[in-house]
Amino acid sequence: MHSLFEPPLFGRLRSARRVLVAGAGGGFDVYAGLPLAIALRAQGKDVHLANLAFSDLNRLDLDDWLYPGVAAVRPGSSGDDAYFPERTLARWLDSRGRPSVVHAFPRVGVRPLRDAYRHLVAHLGVDAVVLVDGGTDILLRGDEAGLGTPEEDMTSLAAVAALDGVDRLVVSLGFGIDAFHGVCHAHVLENLAALDRVGGYLGALSIPSRSPEAEAYLDAVAHAQRATPERPSIVHGQIAAALRGQFGDAQFSARTAGSELFVNPLMGVYFTVDLPTLAERVGYLGELAGTETAVDVAMVIEAHRDRVERRPRRDIPH
């Protein structure tokens, strides 16, 4: 039973002692989990961070690998100086006196990622996994007008859905950002309503802009922008702008020049769903189980899109 006094996200995690907060979609996705991780640590929980990586993990030293497919990235780990979000985050954490290991998974198919997650969950002894997505495309089930960039999100979703013995949640931060990639956000809201009818939607929770969690997140994003000036995160640049109270076409990088942004307070809201319930409603997720590579995943999704009847695009009439 949920209560207005306790957000369902924290109600579900109340009994968890060790929590893995993992970026689902690669890149800087793990940064979307920072406010949650900091809040959970303030409650005395043992929180670990992980990310599906776009980084070149082949440059890591052998000692950085816990298992095949799972690396422990530290502030001093070897890697690309121009783009390495996991190490950038590890360095920010270290500079702020926080635990500074960020686990990284190579960009692979579902079968090897599932095995890697099983090893990491056992190694850390976690009893809950929270997949975080910067954006909303992880909430799409396959029949929408546009899917955004679903390959990595769905690989992570399928891998974690197969885990046993741990609580599993999905948290989305950055509502509206995926419009740039063709996502119809009326369909996102429709999907959340459908999940709510079966008990799978756990509500929305704003990150208070003047909270310690928001301040730490903003500091981490600014640090990442300085460390990665050629490839700053478009997603987190907009979320950060929203948490600073900016609105509309709040430009922050040459990467968005020529595009009109719509920064707004909804970008600073966590939308939470039960992961197994969400996974059951993705029309092609079962077909991803045996995929070995990211290319395999993309081919399954493309084949599903070719045969499914798509919902027509619609506007949010407000």
Side-chain angles (χ1 to χ4, degrees):
M1 179 68 68
H2 301 309
S3 166
L4 189 61
F5 289 104
E6 181 180 49
L9 169 59
F10 286 93
R12 275 284 291 267
L13 296 173
R14 187 191 312 124
S15 62
R17 295 174 297 113
R18 298 185 182 90
V19 181
L20 176 64
V21 177
F28 288 92
D29 256 14
V30 65
Y31 279 72
L34 265 182
L36 175 61
I38 291 167
L40 292 173
R41 281 176 177 157
Q43 293 182 338
K45 299 184 188 300
D46 185 12
V47 182
H48 301 271
L49 298 171
N51 200 41
L52 184 63
F54 289 165
S55 313
D56 181 10
L57 300 181
N58 291 322
R59 297 173 64 174
L60 290 171
D61 294 333
L62 186 60
D63 290 344
D64 288 323
W65 291 93
L66 300 177
Y67 304 98
V70 186
V73 178
R74 299 176 173 86
S77 293
S78 300
D80 188 351
D81 290 334
Y83 182 82
F84 198 168
E86 296 79 18
R87 188 183 62 189
T88 299
L89 178 55
R91 288 177 173 177
W92 176 82
L93 291 165
D94 184 61
S95 71
R96 301 303 184 268
R98 301 178 183 273
S100 58
V101 172
V102 180
H103 298 91
F105 305 110
R107 190 166 172 255
V108 293
V110 171
R111 190 205 59 75
L113 185 61
R114 181 179 63 237
D115 291 346
Y117 260 105
R118 285 173 173 162
H119 282 302
L120 184 59
V121 165
H123 174 75
L124 298 175
V126 300
D127 40 27
V129 177
V130 182
L131 274 185
V132 292
D133 181 29
T136 53
D137 41 12
I138 198 170
L139 301 174
L140 303 179
R141 63 197 191 197
D143 64 345
E144 295 82 5
L147 294 188
T149 54
E151 290 83 5
E152 292 77 26
D153 290 317
M154 292 300 120
T155 300
S156 296
L157 182 64
V160 176
L163 299 178
D164 297 319
V166 292
D167 197 8
R168 293 155 294 166
L169 299 171
V170 166
V171 170
S172 163
L173 182 68
F175 184 88
I177 286 173
D178 292 320
F180 178 79
H181 289 122
V183 169
C184 170
H185 284 80
H187 289 160
V188 174
L189 296 176
E190 184 179 6
N191 291 358
L192 290 173
L195 288 167
D196 200 15
R197 290 195 294 273
V198 295
Y201 175 50
L202 302 179
L205 172 66
S206 293
I207 300 170
S209 60
R210 290 172 175 80
S211 65
E213 294 84 2
E215 291 175 0
Y217 169 80
L218 291 172
D219 187 40
V221 171
H223 172 269
Q225 289 174 335
R226 293 191 299 271
T228 316
E230 299 300 319
R231 295 178 64 182
S233 171
I234 293 174
V235 169
H236 292 289
Q238 292 181 76
I239 296 170
L243 289 175
R244 290 193 299 267
Q246 295 180 261
F247 182 81
D249 193 19
Q251 296 287 336
F252 59 90
S253 168
R255 293 187 70 196
T256 60
S259 299
E260 184 176 357
L261 305 180
F262 186 59
V263 171
N264 66 86
L266 288 177
M267 290 180 174
V269 174
Y270 276 139
F271 291 86
T272 306
V273 301
D274 176 69
L275 189 150
T277 306
L278 174 64
E280 288 172 1
R281 280 153 180 77
V282 178
Y284 56 87
L285 208 70
E287 300 173 55
L288 296 178
T291 54
E292 295 287 337
T293 68
V295 173
D296 295 339
V297 172
M299 291 177 64
V300 168
I301 296 174
E302 183 178 357
H304 177 79
R305 295 288 280 170
D306 286 342
R307 64 176 181 267
V308 72
E309 182 178 352
R310 304 182 192 184
R311 283 180 271 168
R313 184 174 296 276
R314 60 185 297 186
D315 294 328
I316 299 174
H318 295 292

